[in-house]
Amino acid sequence: MKKLPLSLAIGAMLLSPLTMAKTVNAVASFTVLGDIVKEVGGSHVNVKSLVGPNGDPHTFEPTPKDSQELNQADVVFVSGLGLEGWLDRLVKASGYKGHPVVASTGISTRKMVDDGETITDPHAWNSMANGVVYATNVMNALIKADPEDAADIRKSGERYIQQLQQLDSWAKQSFAAIPAEKRKVLTSHDAFGYFGQRYGVEFKAPVGFSTEAEASASDVAALIKQLKAEHINTYFMENQTDPRLVKQIASETGAQAGGELYPEALSEANGPAPTYVAAFKHNVELMLASMK
């Protein structure tokens, strides 16, 4: 076999797919989505989450540093469905030239009434079946951003999607084993609509879809009456919300604390919910424990 001259051999190496591969700089709107991007992209992606651990995506206020992160990003991921009301302003201010990838694209949305207005529920990822859609959209977007690493990204993405599908089946089977009258949960705000729809769990909350909303005295009184009538004995805090209102309701109904749920923000790395998978398992296991 004829050997290439040294200069041509080096040139061929420099042009090979291996050396042309790049690391995608990605920005995600909040930690749940950021973790999905990280799991799918693996070593081929660097991910920055704008809303950090235990942060509230409803009330988030971007900083100049966030604008700079977007400006330097290869791809920006958002959940969509009205969750990130601050995002359009941030994209314009940053000078980001691309179009953010909406991870919820293709999901069958549900409606909810908030302050008398019918709106789209933005908390789609809390159903793990929807999590599969998020991961699939993320995988396709990363492959488009980094075609040289397409095979590797697809492999890790499909492996991750299979894990999410297994979790979805586990949650469905676990809740199906609980009598329907016991599948009721009191939380801080209405973030578990898709979860409840998927797994047959009924959620009660004093506040609507956004933590910025405020419950009226009549709403709280009606909820207390309902909780007593339906014998809901456990309440849950949410890591990103003010717990005082739910504690007040619990004290008037006799409900006991069931622990802390993670519907919109992951915990710090050393906490109980540092990843999307860990947060989902944590939430399911806490709820199941209260129902049994």
Side-chain angles (χ1 to χ4, degrees):
M1 181 176 175
K2 191 173 180 180
K3 292 184 178 180
L4 288 171
L6 182 60
S7 59
L8 290 179
I10 293 173
M13 289 173 62
L14 291 173
L15 291 173
S16 72
L18 181 63
T19 56
M20 288 172 66
K22 66 176 183 178
T23 300
V24 177
N25 288 318
V27 170
S29 56
F30 70 130
T31 51
V32 172
L33 183 52
D35 182 65
I36 293 173
V37 175
K38 180 181 177 182
E39 291 291 338
V40 172
S43 62
H44 302 294
V45 63
N46 287 326
V47 189
K48 161 69 178 177
S49 293
L50 296 176
V51 185
N54 300 310
D56 188 337
H58 297 291
T59 60
F60 177 69
E61 295 184 4
T63 66
K65 184 179 178 182
D66 296 320
S67 180
Q68 186 177 12
E69 294 279 0
L70 253 69
N71 181 267
Q72 297 173 353
D74 296 313
V75 59
V76 174
F77 292 93
V78 301
S79 182
L81 307 181
L83 177 72
E84 304 99 338
W86 39 267
L87 188 84
D88 287 345
R89 299 190 306 274
L90 179 60
V91 170
K92 289 178 183 176
S94 71
Y96 176 68
K97 303 301 182 186
H99 296 285
V101 176
V102 181
S104 61
T105 299
I107 281 171
S108 178
T109 59
R110 65 182 291 273
K111 300 295 182 182
M112 60 191 298
V113 177
D114 189 64
D115 286 338
E117 181 183 359
T118 301
I119 61 169
T120 298
D121 185 348
H123 305 93
W125 64 88
N126 281 319
S127 157
M128 191 52 81
N130 289 341
V132 169
V133 177
Y134 274 61
T136 302
N137 288 334
V138 166
M139 179 178 68
N140 292 336
L142 288 177
I143 288 171
K144 184 178 179 180
D146 182 13
E148 293 86 359
D149 293 311
D152 205 17
I153 293 170
R154 190 176 300 280
K155 184 178 179 181
S156 63
E158 289 177 349
R159 183 171 59 243
Y160 183 59
I161 287 167
Q162 186 176 41
Q163 182 183 12
L164 302 188
Q165 289 170 331
Q166 291 170 348
L167 282 172
D168 179 55
S169 297
W170 163 71
K172 285 198 78 172
Q173 293 170 8
S174 298
F175 284 113
I178 305 291
E181 64 272 14
K182 290 188 176 182
R183 297 199 299 264
K184 297 178 181 180
V185 176
L186 170 63
T187 58
S188 304
H189 85 296
D190 201 354
F192 283 100
Y194 291 93
F195 185 106
Q197 188 178 58
R198 179 68 177 170
Y199 307 115
V201 179
E202 185 178 350
F203 288 87
K204 308 294 182 183
V207 177
F209 92 98
S210 172
T211 52
E212 292 181 287
E214 293 185 6
S216 68
S218 61
D219 288 340
V220 172
L223 180 58
I224 289 171
K225 184 177 180 180
Q226 186 179 16
L227 293 174
K228 288 179 177 178
E230 296 182 17
H231 306 289
I232 298 178
N233 302 317
T234 308
Y235 72 93
F236 292 93
M237 296 291 95
E238 294 173 14
N239 65 316
Q240 83 294 357
T241 61
D242 186 332
R244 288 174 294 181
L245 181 56
V246 171
K247 286 184 175 181
Q248 175 197 336
I249 292 170
S251 69
E252 297 194 36
T253 61
Q256 301 298 309
E260 189 170 57
L261 301 177
Y262 293 81
E264 294 182 337
L266 303 180
S267 68
E268 299 285 355
N270 61 352
T275 67
Y276 177 44
V277 164
F280 182 81
K281 290 169 72 174
H282 172 88
N283 291 343
V284 170
E285 288 169 351
L286 272 190
M287 292 181 207
L288 288 171
S290 75
M291 295 169 185
K292 293 175 182 178

